[in-house]
Amino acid sequence: TQLLEQSPQFLSIQEGENLTVYCNSSSVFSSLQWYRQEPGEGPVLLVTVVTGGEVKKLKRLTFQFGDARKDSSLHITAAQPGDTGLYLCAGTGGTSYGKLTFGQGTILTVHP
Amino acid sequence: NAGVTQTPKFQVLKTGQSMTLQCAQDMNHNSMYWYRQDPGMGLRLIYYSASEGTTDKGEVPNGYNVSRLNKREFSLRLESAAPSQTSVYFCASSERRQGISNEQYFGPGTRLTVT
């Protein structure tokens, strides 16, 4: 069974601060996704990374896939209250048909 | 374009009662999934259907059954509800492709309480 460990579980910061969320595993993933979920709604995809060492930027969000494809990070620059939510990483193994293994999630609260 | 719809949105059951959660997608996706979400545990896969006519167990299938009624619809049944099944249930769909993950589109969830 592939496991993804996400840290930290909770993050409470002030507007304008930077933060990083980590997603780690002992298993290799063929691709990794980051989702954001708001209260009362389902998760929504932010990004998919597929190549070891890959870095993707989405405005103030930077996503990195580790060289060995076992870990990933999400960095937010100058966080805003609108970034508040649950962030989930999810990975796919090479032989699965789109099945995702999710991390436990990071609850981010950005205070104005 | 409704995406993924789920019914009901809320449900309270007594221990031992049964119910079926309905899910439908209008994106012509081959694959559909049922997850449960509990605090501090992310989303855990209950069952999935890689394509119409096939279903398979996920990480936590005990106490649940599924039916892939057609390409659009995938239902989840609790035959005899238990308090441990209190959770938020999400249905999702995606294109089927081996290896690399395609985006999964999630429904709004069903909040189930078993007393």
Side-chain angles (χ1 to χ4, degrees):
Chain A
T1 302
Q2 296 178 309
L3 295 175
L4 278 168
E5 296 287 335
Q6 234 178 291
S7 62
Q9 190 173 355
F10 300 95
L11 202 50
S12 180
I13 62 172
Q14 294 297 126
E15 183 175 2
E17 292 183 0
N18 302 330
L19 67 110
T20 302
V21 177
Y22 298 94
C23 181
N24 295 297
S25 176
S26 58
S27 302
V28 174
F29 288 92
S30 57
S31 64
L32 201 137
Q33 297 180 330
W34 285 92
Y35 287 81
R36 179 168 174 263
Q37 184 180 12
E38 298 196 27
E41 300 181 6
V44 176
L45 181 69
L46 294 173
V47 76
T48 301
V49 285
V50 298
T51 306
E54 182 176 3
V55 176
K56 281 192 173 179
K57 292 192 175 184
L58 189 66
K59 296 183 179 178
R60 294 176 293 101
L61 278 62
T62 301
F63 304 86
Q64 186 162 7
F65 201 12
D67 290 341
R69 291 186 287 128
K70 292 183 178 181
D71 57 270
S72 181
S73 64
L74 158 61
H75 182 80
I76 300 179
T77 304
Q80 298 177 0
D83 295 326
T84 293
L86 174 66
Y87 290 81
L88 295 155
C89 64
T92 294
T95 58
S96 68
Y97 284 89
K99 283 170 53 181
L100 292 174
T101 298
F102 280 85
Q104 311 98 308
T106 296
I107 298 174
L108 171 65
T109 304
V110 182
H111 302 279
Chain B
N1 193 343
V4 179
T5 57
Q6 291 182 238
T7 56
K9 290 191 175 182
F10 300 93
Q11 184 71 50
V12 179
L13 291 178
K14 294 185 177 179
T15 297
Q17 288 185 320
S18 62
M19 78 161 295
T20 299
L21 281 65
Q22 306 287 353
C23 174
Q25 53 94 7
D26 61 4
M27 295 172 283
N28 202 35
H29 286 162
N30 288 307
S31 299
M32 296 185 74
Y33 313 84
W34 276 105
Y35 295 91
R36 60 177 288 172
Q37 186 174 38
D38 302 293
M41 301 191 75
L43 283 96
R44 292 183 292 169
L45 184 65
I46 304 171
Y47 269 93
Y48 70 101
S49 172
S51 62
E52 185 179 356
T54 68
T55 61
D56 215 335
K57 295 179 180 180
E59 182 185 352
V60 290
N62 291 343
Y64 306 95
N65 284 300
V66 291
S67 295
R68 183 74 182 267
L69 304 171
N70 47 55
K71 192 171 185 179
R72 289 187 65 249
E73 299 172 290
F74 189 38
S75 63
L76 178 72
R77 182 160 178 84
L78 287 70
E79 290 292 349
S80 180
S84 61
Q85 294 178 305
T86 293
S87 188
V88 181
Y89 291 85
F90 287 98
C91 177
S93 70
S94 72
E95 282 298 320
R96 178 175 183 245
R97 194 169 66 172
Q98 185 175 2
I100 295 178
S101 292
N102 291 293
E103 177 176 3
Q104 289 194 12
Y105 294 81
F106 287 82
T110 294
R111 282 145 188 80
L112 175 66
T113 301
V114 183
T115 62

